[in-house]
Amino acid sequence: MSEKVGVYICHCGSNIAGVVDVEDVAKFAGEQIENVAVSRDYKFMCSSLGQELIEEDIRKEGLTRVVVAACSPHLHEKTFRRACANAGLNPYLCHMTSIREQVSWVIEDKAVATEKAKAMVAAAVKRVELHEELEPSEVPVNPNTLVVGGGITGIQAAIELADAGYPVYLVEREPSIGGHMAQFDKTFPTLDCAACILTPKMSDVGSHPNIHLLSYSEVEDISGYVGNFHVRIRKKARYVDEEACTGCGICIEKCPKKVVDDVFEAGMGYRKSIYRPFPQAVPNWPVIDTESCTYFERGKCKACEIFCPTEAIDFEQQDSYIDIDVGNVILATGYDLFDARKVPQYGYGRLANVFTSLEFERMCNASGPTEGKIVLRDGITEPKSVAIIHCVGSRDENHNPYCSSICCMSALKFGHLVMEKTDAEVTSFYIDVRTSQKGYEEFYNRLLEEGMHFVRGKAAEITDAARQPGEEGKLIVQAEDTLLGKQRRVPVDMVILMSALEPKADAKDVGLQFGISCSMEGWFTERHPKLDPVATMTDGIFVAGVAQGPKDIPASVAQGAAAAARVQGMITAGTVEIEPIVATIHEEICSGCKICNNLCPFNAIEFLEDKEVSYVNAALCKGCGTCVAACPAQAISGAHFNNDQIFAEIGGILYDAIGGNGAKAPAKSKEPAPA
Amino acid sequence: MVDERFEPKIVAFLCNWCSYRAADLAGTARIKYEPNVRMIRVMCSGRVDPTFVLKAFALGADGVMIAGCHPGECHYLEQNYKAMRRFNMLKHTLKAMGVEEGRIRLQWASAAEGVQLASAINEMVDQVRELGPLNWAQNWHEDGEVEAAIQRIEEEHAEVMEVPA
């Protein structure tokens, strides 16, 4: 019984038809490929008229297979599968071949392009003939959600879901949620106090009945699949009993050991060995830092234990593990700040009065180490002049090529704060000032009016070597003013480096753990950069906030909410369809050699001791096909990518080589192929 | 017969998640590359059964490329490592069968590397063009029977095929 194949060649306007002779390809398919019952070309196959064409042919001509030669299947495979399903044909009996991305857009020579398109259509027809009817399976979606990262993005996502009535596990690595935003003083462009808008949300999280907050915890392991993930969380020992602790803070007061706080205060201030990162921390239970604690160092002290009114201190506490089941995961793991030491010509770490943007944020903060006073490193002197250097580690081929997107606005904010709190002159050294969101350009204009100076040029060097009168004891910023076309030396008291946002140091490991990919830089990759910005290639795993790429607070909040909305959609639907592309082991052929058992990274293959054969758990199988390729007995078949289908495709794609010996050019083109 | 430049036929197996998307990207970015490579999508480079490669050569391909996600970036966590191991064995086997190393290539290409994939293709096409036609299919047929061909391979490559005790 032979199949009746319908072949549809899309013009894609002139995208394909401009290079490929579509009529010739359609004619070739209709006349020279076996079992092709209908072969047509059409202006836009993906349009509703194009789809109707296929549906009509299925109904009237009784097509049993469909091939669409158009764009990449990643774009429109679903569209054409749906069209087939509408006409009563199993959607998996349709195959797409990409004659736009792989032919018309990458080949200039028309004849050569047409030949390649023919080979691809031939391959598609040979393959589709062997396609089998498949049915996607449905699995229930667990209504619990895991949110990783308790910065503003994760907080927003957690609150949205919890308010909708669904349980959320919010996992945060640090002792408190709040993330980078908790460190900031003001937020651009409205100059709201960051704490005033963030802390109410933080306490919401802390008290919400639907949010299980797991601070000072990390995801240890995740397994399962969309709708049904099993997660193991490691709760790091705080050495404080959370049940007993009231958060009174007496222990912190009594602790005799003070250390530099490198995390929250960015090295600008001190904290005790038993500490909470900041007064409004959520949860407000303190944590003992075992590396600096005198008791852990020398076995003596226990001041905190002695003074604790509720006997909450527990030096024997161990890390504990919590196992949870969730349906979806939102990754909002944030960013690290670029280490300004990597740009030695800016002198950070060597020249005392060169500050990073985060240090300056802490300095501006009323509850920060200087109580909001803008002073030099000595702690008393107010600067009379301040330089702000943009793009430190971003838009720089030596470090990160991308734009960190927030630094221009932060720099403007800093300029405003300096001028508001001191009499200092502020000069900004920029490559371009980028203020593209709502209200941002207005803020830039405001700063221009307030008298902030702007020098268009990337600072070449910051030095304390005076060369001219007036430079003694100052930091000199050397830059080419590209608007004047002149070298300039600007002596200042203080320099602020606008450091780049970088992916978290362990972003790639986290990506691997959750089975999602990262860009070259290490930002999590979204499913589609424009049309699907928070989903990932792994179903059930969503990304939001700066972990996906540099962005400001409004955009992070929007993504957090968007990810929550996507998860809510999954929960409301109740079930999720799983692609039927899975492996199956044929018991009667399996010899029980177990070669496949250890190949599967998803533990989908188990060995049935009673029958002495291996077995694939379809719910766990992701369909990669590695076991299929490895089975020495060919007892495993991979649905939709089985050996026969791929062999047929190879045969089709080399249709013009069989019998011939491949020595001829694919086309009778006179021009040599473009190099 | 005019003096035509040899245009090799190369079959490429691309993984669905990285390399096929790199090809998509090369298209979207209108990066022109040699038309000699014809692509077949598989879900993972780990799906590439060595027999696919043998089949392609047997049906007249002059070269075969296998492309997958970079090590550590596999959508299926680590299956590209398995592809890598198989590739090394396959290369050895093919060498024993008289197929030059330059005719088979394992290429890592992430979804962001349209340019890299295109230049790898160009490089490989040049290389295979240099090697000339493989004529594998013809060689098998010339000898009439497969037995004889195998006999010949065993004799010619006895040294490589020797299994250390």
Side-chain angles (χ1 to χ4, degrees):
Chain A
M1 187 193 77
S2 64
E3 302 296 344
K4 287 180 94 174
V5 185
V7 174
Y8 300 87
I9 318 290
C10 182
H11 297 201
C12 196
S14 63
N15 276 315
I16 296 171
V19 182
V20 174
D21 185 345
V22 282
E23 283 164 26
D24 187 33
V25 178
K27 202 172 140 222
F28 158 80
E31 289 172 5
Q32 294 185 39
I33 309 177
E34 262 182 293
N35 298 335
V36 173
V38 177
S39 182
R40 302 182 196 278
D41 59 282
Y42 189 71
K43 211 129 193 90
F44 290 103
M45 282 312 302
C46 60
S47 67
S48 53
L49 288 174
Q51 293 182 50
E52 278 164 27
L53 201 65
I54 299 177
E55 292 173 28
E56 210 178 281
D57 283 347
I58 294 172
R59 292 199 187 95
K60 292 205 175 135
E61 306 286 333
L63 297 182
T64 58
R65 296 287 188 276
V66 169
V67 166
V68 184
C71 52
S72 167
H74 290 140
L75 219 60
H76 273 308
E77 192 170 58
K78 279 195 179 142
T79 312
F80 295 115
R81 279 184 178 172
R82 211 179 307 130
C84 289
N86 285 344
L89 190 68
N90 184 289
Y92 292 88
L93 301 180
C94 166
H95 188 68
M96 266 192 96
T97 186
S98 170
I99 60 164
R100 191 179 72 174
E101 280 81 351
Q102 291 179 18
V103 180
S104 67
W105 277 352
V106 294
I107 300 174
E108 275 166 340
D109 186 311
K110 288 190 176 183
V112 173
T114 305
E115 279 311 307
K116 184 171 174 183
K118 284 181 185 172
M120 289 172 68
V121 169
V125 172
K126 292 288 155 214
R127 179 190 217 284
V128 84
E129 284 176 338
L130 299 173
H131 275 203
E132 288 163 348
E133 291 193 2
L134 297 171
E135 296 296 336
S137 53
E138 273 196 3
V139 294
V141 174
N142 186 315
N144 299 340
T145 304
L146 171 69
V147 178
V148 185
I152 182 61
T153 311
I155 289 174
Q156 184 69 31
I159 291 177
E160 298 269 353
L161 283 164
D163 280 348
Y166 301 112
V168 177
Y169 294 91
L170 177 59
V171 174
E172 166 60 46
R173 178 181 277 177
E174 297 295 328
S176 168
I177 57 168
H180 283 289
M181 190 178 169
Q183 293 171 288
F184 299 166
D185 178 39
K186 295 278 167 60
T187 54
F188 58 76
T190 49
L191 301 172
D192 296 291
C193 134
C196 311
I197 53 178
L198 176 67
T199 46
K201 276 185 181 285
M202 288 167 59
S203 42
D204 255 12
V205 168
S207 60
H208 206 296
N210 286 335
I211 300 181
H212 306 264
L213 175 56
L214 298 161
S215 67
Y216 211 45
S217 302
E218 296 193 32
V219 174
E220 191 78 5
D221 188 46
I222 177 161
S223 59
Y225 51 95
V226 57
N228 303 273
F229 291 108
H230 313 291
V231 188
R232 168 158 274 217
I233 293 159
R234 181 166 64 94
K235 224 165 170 291
K236 297 182 272 191
R238 277 177 188 264
Y239 305 100
V240 172
D241 179 357
E242 294 170 7
E243 299 283 313
C245 177
T246 60
C248 68
I250 290 177
C251 53
I252 302 173
E253 210 173 284
K254 298 293 178 188
C255 175
K257 185 81 177 275
K258 246 187 183 181
V259 287
V260 174
D261 183 354
D262 281 326
V263 180
F264 191 78
E265 296 291 3
M268 295 281 287
Y270 296 89
R271 61 162 169 78
K272 295 290 184 65
S273 273
I274 182 163
Y275 72 104
R276 61 171 84 105
F278 51 104
Q280 308 95 321
V282 173
N284 64 358
W285 309 308
V287 175
I288 295 179
D289 162 24
T290 55
E291 274 177 29
S292 66
C293 170
T294 314
Y295 173 75
F296 280 96
E297 255 177 13
R298 277 179 268 154
K300 274 187 206 157
C301 179
K302 292 197 174 181
C304 46
E305 190 180 35
I306 297 161
F307 285 97
C308 178
T310 58
E311 296 180 356
I313 306 289
D314 175 8
F315 290 110
E316 305 304 315
Q317 206 177 60
Q318 299 287 324
D319 290 0
S320 56
Y321 293 88
I322 300 166
D323 290 305
I324 56 170
D325 289 337
V326 297
N328 294 280
V329 178
I330 298 174
L331 292 177
T333 49
Y335 64 95
D336 282 335
L337 210 61
F338 172 77
D339 181 2
R341 286 182 188 85
K342 290 185 193 160
V343 191
Q345 63 268 35
Y346 289 169
Y348 177 70
R350 177 165 50 86
L351 303 170
N353 291 316
V354 177
F355 292 83
T356 66
S357 45
L358 199 57
E359 285 179 329
F360 190 76
E361 285 282 1
R362 290 311 300 153
M363 194 194 286
C364 288
N365 196 307
S367 61
T370 61
E371 290 166 344
K373 284 198 223 48
I374 297 175
V375 286
L376 299 184
R377 204 68 81 163
D378 63 9
I380 14 175
T381 322
E382 210 170 77
K384 294 205 170 49
S385 47
V386 176
I388 302 178
I389 315 292
H390 292 232
C391 302
V392 177
S394 31
R395 303 186 70 195
D396 182 341
E397 287 298 324
N398 298 315
H399 302 286
N400 299 303
Y402 54 82
C403 167
S404 289
S405 125
I406 61 152
C407 330
C408 282
M409 284 302 290
S410 291
L412 294 174
K413 175 182 75 176
F414 289 165
H416 173 86
L417 291 174
V418 172
M419 290 192 286
E420 187 184 69
K421 295 185 177 191
T422 71
D423 297 326
E425 294 262 317
V426 184
T427 313
S428 146
F429 292 84
Y430 67 96
I431 307 177
D432 298 289
V433 175
R434 294 181 168 174
T435 55
S436 61
Q437 303 300 310
K438 187 175 161 189
Y440 289 9
E441 185 68 10
E442 290 84 339
F443 189 68
Y444 178 29
N445 285 331
R446 177 176 166 186
L447 264 293
L448 286 170
E449 274 165 29
E450 285 177 5
M452 186 167 164
H453 307 298
F454 289 88
V455 174
R456 185 176 182 276
K458 193 174 167 68
E461 188 187 15
I462 295 160
T463 172
D464 57 354
R467 257 201 262 151
Q468 291 158 9
E471 290 183 353
E472 296 88 355
K474 300 263 187 185
L475 294 172
I476 302 104
V477 181
Q478 169 94 42
E480 185 194 351
D481 187 326
T482 54
L483 294 180
L484 289 179
K486 267 188 183 167
Q487 285 290 330
R488 288 181 64 168
R489 286 171 69 83
V490 181
V492 293
D493 295 327
M494 177 193 265
V495 173
I496 307 168
L497 302 179
M498 304 307 300
S499 299
L501 307 188
E502 285 193 330
K504 275 273 179 203
D506 59 351
K508 289 198 172 166
D509 298 331
V510 173
L512 199 60
Q513 186 177 30
F514 287 89
I516 63 168
S517 57
C518 294
S519 68
M520 295 292 272
E521 292 89 16
W523 307 113
F524 293 145
T525 312
E526 61 283 349
R527 186 177 275 264
H528 191 282
K530 284 171 283 241
L531 303 180
D532 211 349
V534 294
T536 65
M537 286 297 172
T538 304
D539 293 333
I541 310 278
F542 298 87
V543 289
V546 183
Q548 179 260 350
K551 56 180 68 66
D552 55 16
I553 294 170
S556 299
V557 170
Q559 276 204 337
R566 292 294 303 274
V567 169
Q568 228 177 295
M570 306 270 295
I571 300 172
T572 317
T575 56
V576 60
E577 273 194 1
I578 293 194
E579 276 273 286
I581 300 175
V582 292
T584 322
I585 297 180
H586 303 286
E587 270 181 28
E588 63 284 3
I589 312 176
C590 177
S591 67
C593 72
K594 296 192 192 176
I595 283 176
C596 56
N597 295 26
N598 293 329
L599 279 178
C600 182
F602 307 104
N603 298 321
I605 308 181
E606 51 189 304
F607 188 70
L608 304 177
E609 295 290 349
D610 52 337
K611 292 183 182 168
E612 294 192 324
V613 291
S614 295
Y615 165 80
V616 178
N617 180 343
L620 292 175
C621 175
K622 309 251 188 218
C624 68
T626 304
C627 59
V628 184
C631 180
Q634 297 190 6
I636 315 180
S637 62
H640 213 57
F641 286 90
N642 70 31
N643 284 357
D644 292 341
Q645 289 164 354
I646 294 173
F647 283 145
E649 197 173 354
I650 298 170
I653 217 155
L654 292 167
Y655 84 98
D656 50 350
I658 306 167
N661 53 19
K664 296 288 174 300
K668 307 291 164 274
S669 163
K670 284 166 195 78
E671 298 288 315
Chain B
M1 194 75 193
V2 280
D3 186 22
E4 245 178 78
R5 183 169 72 149
F6 166 57
E7 292 295 346
K9 287 194 170 60
I10 295 172
V11 176
F13 296 95
L14 276 67
C15 85
N16 181 52
W17 304 97
C18 293
S19 310
Y20 198 87
R21 275 164 217 272
D24 280 355
L25 180 65
T28 320
R30 314 292 199 278
I31 300 161
K32 304 286 180 263
Y33 57 85
E34 296 277 12
N36 309 55
V37 168
R38 296 170 181 186
M39 296 161 177
I40 290 178
R41 179 166 68 126
V42 287
M43 292 309 278
C44 179
S45 52
R47 174 66 184 97
V48 179
D49 187 325
T51 54
F52 295 173
V53 178
L54 298 176
K55 183 81 173 178
F57 281 131
L59 292 181
D62 301 294
V64 175
M65 178 185 271
I66 300 168
C69 310
H70 281 273
E73 290 176 11
C74 179
H75 180 80
Y76 303 102
L77 307 181
E78 53 190 30
Q79 305 304 60
N80 50 359
Y81 288 102
K82 278 134 200 169
M84 186 157 61
R85 278 188 240 158
R86 283 187 198 136
F87 174 78
N88 287 331
M89 287 200 308
L90 183 63
K91 208 162 65 173
H92 197 80
T93 315
L94 284 170
K95 205 171 151 189
M97 297 170 104
V99 178
E100 300 92 332
E101 265 185 51
R103 294 191 186 273
I104 173 164
R105 175 169 179 145
L106 180 66
Q107 179 66 36
W108 306 133
S110 81
E113 294 180 335
V115 179
Q116 285 84 341
L117 181 68
S119 57
I121 287 173
N122 288 341
E123 215 179 281
M124 184 168 179
V125 171
D126 280 348
Q127 205 173 356
V128 177
R129 189 175 282 141
E130 196 87 351
L131 290 169
L134 177 62
N135 286 342
W136 224 38
Q138 222 172 41
N139 283 345
W140 286 97
H141 293 299
E142 256 174 25
D143 286 3
E145 43 189 305
V146 177
E147 296 291 320
I150 292 175
Q151 186 72 36
R152 196 189 69 230
I153 287 164
E154 278 181 5
E155 278 163 21
E156 284 178 15
H157 300 274
E159 205 177 310
V160 196
M161 291 177 84
E162 207 167 292
V163 184

